[in-house]
Structure formats: C-alpha cells, structure tokens
Amino acid sequence: MDIKGENYCLSFNFETATIVCQGQLRLQGEKGYADIIEQLDRMVDEKPGTIILDLTELRFLNSSGINVFLKFVIKVRNAKVSRLSVRGTDKFPWHTKTLKNFTRLMPDLVLEIN
Amino acid sequence: MSELFGNYIEKNDGTESIVIVFFSKVLSFKEHWRNNSLSANFIADYWGTFFSAPGKASAGEIHDIVSFIANELLENAMKFSRTDQASTIEISLSLFENDLRFYVTNQIGQNSAKAFKTYLHHLLAQDPQEFYLAQLEDHSAQNSQAASRLGLLTLLNDYDATLGWKFETCDYPEAAIVTTMAQWPIIHEK
C-alpha cells in the first residue's frame, strides 16, 4: 500500500517486507506521521526475516520524521525477530549525516550508502 | 533586559543577508506548516547564488543543509509561537567568511519561555549525542509523543552547528521574545 502526500510517497510492500520512501517528508510532529507509524508498526508485527527500508529517493526528512524512523529501528531491535537493512545515498547530505544514528541504536543493522 | 543561553553571537549583517518576516493575525502559525518547507527551500535556492568557491562544500550540499537547518528552525518557531495575539516570526540568514548564521525570532508565552529555559539548562549541561539517544530510548519505552526538540539536537550532533538563544522582554507582559541562532561552518575540516 502507498501513503502519498503533496511531495512524498511511501510504499509498503508486506510480501517483500520492503518500505520505499520518496520525496520530501516534513509533516507536523509525530501526529502528522500517525498513518506512517501505523504501517511501520504493522511491518514489525508481520515478523519478516529481513525488513528493507529504502530511503535512496527521500531527499528531505524533518526531525519529527527522523524521530519516527529512529523509533522504528528501536522497535525492530527490541522485537528481536527481524533483521533490518537500510539503503541511503550520498547524494543527499542528511543520509550521510544522520543515518549513522540508526546503527548506533541497532549495531547489527545493515546500512548501505551508495 | 535580555538573557543569553549557549553560544549566542549578536546579530550583524555579514556580507550578504536575506530576511523573511511572517505575520499572522487570524490563523495560528501551526496552520502555516506547509510554508515552512516552501520558505526553507526558497532560502536555500536563493543562497545557491553565492557558493562556488573551491575548498567549500558543494553548492548542492549547501543547498540541502541550508534547507534542513532553516526548516527545523522555522518548524520550532511555528510550533511554539504564542497563539493568543497576532504575532510575527522573522528568519534571517547572513553569510560570513567561514560560516552562515541563521536567526529566528518569535514570541512565546511566559510558561513556554520558562519551560524552554529549563530544557536549555538541561541540554547545555550534557553531552548532546548521549542526550539525543537517551531521549529517543526513553520516549520509545514510554510510547511518548512529547515535544522532544530533536531538531535542535540533530543540528548540534549531525550538522556541527553552534547554537545560542536570546530571551528578551516583550510589549506584552505575558509573552517573551526568543531568538534562536544557528551558526554553520561552510568550510569543511581537512
């Protein structure tokens, strides 16, 4: 299923356990992210072997969004069921600056920055 | 009378500057949310004109970093501005030889000002990286959606920004004027 807004699209594929994020995601506080959090939680609850979070086309993410994804990492880590693979790019500065915090929270997370 | 926190540098114009003022009388600033991103991207686009010097971060990188910092500062101002009176939010960005300085000024209620000062005392007394991760773990454990001001911590930890705050008295006794400064070094460390 897709969650779309004016400048963003998030695709959740529960069969392949893949989340693809595109565009500019700058919603208002955690409440603005409620629909997205619901689907992220569902992905954790499905207990797949590996969850792929593909951020390579996500140019901007505000701190509320960073907060949402970091909490998602904590949920995956605490569930102790799924591995987590995060894909980023060095095209967008926030990927090289901020995604390192994902591995601080979950050291066995696989982070690929191309 | 003013009160300073962090590494606040008094405002001056630098070599190039841009100032945008938002005024709202009917709608609360929260209802302006979409404009934060538009304004941040506009400021970043505007600033692209000035960056092509060798040894400095690339124009594309500076664009996205300026947009991120401006958006975070505007979001904070919009989120915490008082809603009981018409008020303004001003963002300015000035270029200096080795750094960019952002200033965002808005009015907040006295209770918000008091809570913000307490938070700043706490923030400035700790290692920001540890504080950031500890806050995340706490909020995640409590399933809390509290305003965690992770934007300021992201600027400190991930963007090497220097932050400072100035609180001033306001014409309205129930409010205070707060200016947040973010200084970002343009030149990469070798």
Side-chain angles (χ1 to χ4, degrees), chain A residues 50-51 53 72-73 76 82-86 106 108-110:
Chain A
T50 300
I51 299 171
L53 177 60
F72 168 68
V73 171
V76 175
S82 308
R83 289 182 294 278
L84 183 57
S85 175
V86 178
M106 185 176 176
D108 60 351
L109 174 153
V110 177

Side-chain angles (χ1 to χ4, degrees), chain B residues 145-163:
Chain B
Q145 293 192 358
S148 47
R149 292 194 168 96
L150 285 178
L152 297 177
L153 285 164
T154 302
L155 297 181
L156 281 172
N157 289 324
D158 297 351
Y159 287 80
D160 297 322
T162 300
L163 301 181

